[in-house]
Amino acid sequence: MLDTQPPRPPAPADLAAWLKLFGSAEMPVLRQTARRLDEARQNIDRVTGRDITDIVLQDPLLAIRVLAYIQSFGSKRLRSDITNIASAVMMLGVEPFFRKFENPQTIEATLGRKPQALLGVLQVILRTQRASRYAHDWAFARHDMNVEEVALAALLSDLAEILLWCFAPELAIDIRSRLQSDRALRSGGVQREVLGFPLAELQLALCREWHLPDLLTTLMDSSSAHLPRVQNVRLAVNLARHSIDGWTDEAIPDDFAAIQTLLNISRETLLERLQLPPELLPGLVKQDTRAAEGRFWRP
């Protein structure tokens, strides 16, 4: 039988080509997000900006679409003040928001014939949602002046990886397979082998290309790791990554020690904040914390 599958288009040759690909593509959203938006639109007379914000903050791709779109409005100074979704929605207005983001394409439809890729991207999004919750909680505990800004940065922390799963799933699968086959490999090194650059480089390039607020870019940039707000984001991302498959990863004790230092709290208090199942608590309390001394956070 002849192969009737269309030939796979070649991967973009360099970083600029990747930026062009992502810039011209329609960002899909989660099916659940599309459903919630439709329900809200049907009750538009009772929907508030806060309601819309709550929907957007559960979906990293819709969040980046909103932030990128808002850059076409108003003066540069006004746009630079939009560093969270609530402000963006307020600037757009409820009805214009629904007109702009009506009938979005969904991730599930886009990757419906590629179940392995669909599972991969949903796992990454689940991880970013968890990271965002952690970042929000810790920013609130630190009395941060703009808690949502920190949570949004954590939600968007793996944007480049999400886009890779959506638009070049074969490459994303290749990267994951290599990392799974050899646990000694570093993610950035494998990404460079497959793509020609690490995803962190693409992430920052996307931030610049889409003119995202400087503060959000800083919060996602590991070179600013000395800043407490950046530590907040990165520690949330790290803990979400290490705990997404359970609480046995050997890196978790170091994560806990760094979070305790950031928040100036005990292990018991941290575990209470994380709201973990009671049966896990005894083992986590007794975990070796020797690495806490002299090791705050490392990118």
Side-chain angles (χ1 to χ4, degrees), residues 13-293:
D14 52 29
L15 193 61
W18 281 102
L19 293 176
K20 183 178 180 180
L21 170 65
F22 294 150
S24 62
E26 178 186 350
M27 301 291 170
V29 304
L30 291 166
R31 181 170 54 199
Q32 181 183 14
T33 300
R35 185 182 302 119
R36 292 181 66 191
L37 287 174
D38 186 57
E39 291 172 354
R41 185 183 297 106
Q42 294 176 27
N43 297 281
I44 194 169
D45 293 338
R46 298 192 298 272
V47 169
T48 66
R50 184 71 256 175
D51 296 328
I52 296 174
T53 299
D54 289 342
I55 296 173
V56 176
L57 286 177
Q58 292 298 312
D59 193 321
L61 288 181
L62 181 56
I64 197 64
R65 286 182 64 177
V66 171
L67 286 176
Y69 179 65
I70 205 69
Q71 296 306 310
S72 63
F73 283 79
S75 65
K76 181 178 180 181
R77 179 181 178 278
L78 180 60
R79 294 196 304 269
S80 67
D81 292 335
I82 305 298
T83 58
N84 59 53
I85 298 300
S87 298
V89 172
M90 182 181 299
M91 184 175 177
L92 285 173
V94 172
E95 292 189 11
F97 174 89
F98 282 121
R99 285 198 299 269
K100 172 58 184 176
F101 301 105
E102 186 176 9
N103 298 322
Q105 184 176 351
T106 68
I107 295 172
E108 288 82 354
T110 301
L111 297 175
R113 296 186 178 182
K114 300 178 180 180
Q116 190 175 358
L118 177 58
L119 179 61
V121 73
L122 293 179
Q123 288 173 334
V124 178
I125 291 175
L126 178 64
R127 193 175 72 213
T128 64
Q129 291 171 334
R130 176 178 289 195
S132 184
R133 290 195 300 271
Y134 290 157
H136 185 282
D137 180 56
W138 304 341
F140 183 81
R142 293 181 53 255
H143 307 288
D144 194 286
M145 295 297 291
N146 195 327
V147 172
E148 187 193 301
E149 200 171 64
V150 176
L152 178 61
L155 184 72
L156 298 179
S157 60
D158 286 317
L159 175 64
E161 184 177 355
I162 292 171
L163 292 174
L164 189 68
W165 278 106
C166 288
F167 297 106
E170 293 82 5
L171 297 180
I173 291 171
D174 185 11
I175 291 171
R176 185 181 64 180
S177 298
R178 296 189 191 199
L179 290 172
Q180 289 177 339
S181 64
D182 186 350
R183 296 293 182 179
L185 294 175
R186 305 293 294 179
S187 299
V190 174
Q191 292 160 5
R192 186 179 294 277
E193 288 180 5
V194 175
L195 303 174
F197 49 82
L199 283 175
E201 187 175 328
L202 175 59
Q203 179 91 5
L204 291 177
L206 287 170
C207 290
R208 292 190 293 267
E209 181 74 11
W210 293 338
H211 306 291
L212 298 188
D214 291 340
L215 185 53
L216 281 179
T217 304
T218 299
L219 289 176
M220 290 187 284
D221 186 355
S222 60
S223 67
S224 303
H226 61 287
L227 301 175
R229 301 184 88 207
V230 177
Q231 293 164 6
N232 191 334
V233 172
R234 297 311 303 172
L235 288 173
V237 170
N238 287 347
L239 185 60
R241 185 181 298 274
H242 296 149
S243 65
I244 198 66
D245 294 320
W247 292 89
T248 58
D249 191 289
E250 62 183 13
I252 287 178
D254 282 352
D255 293 338
F256 281 174
I259 297 162
Q260 289 168 231
T261 301
L262 177 68
L263 301 182
N264 192 26
I265 58 176
S266 67
R267 173 65 59 86
E268 291 79 3
T269 301
L270 173 59
L271 295 178
E272 288 177 5
R273 297 193 73 94
L274 292 174
Q275 298 181 335
L276 300 180
E279 62 269 18
L280 295 177
L281 299 183
L284 293 175
V285 169
K286 294 179 181 178
Q287 280 176 334
D288 183 9
T289 59
R290 288 174 297 177
E293 297 182 6

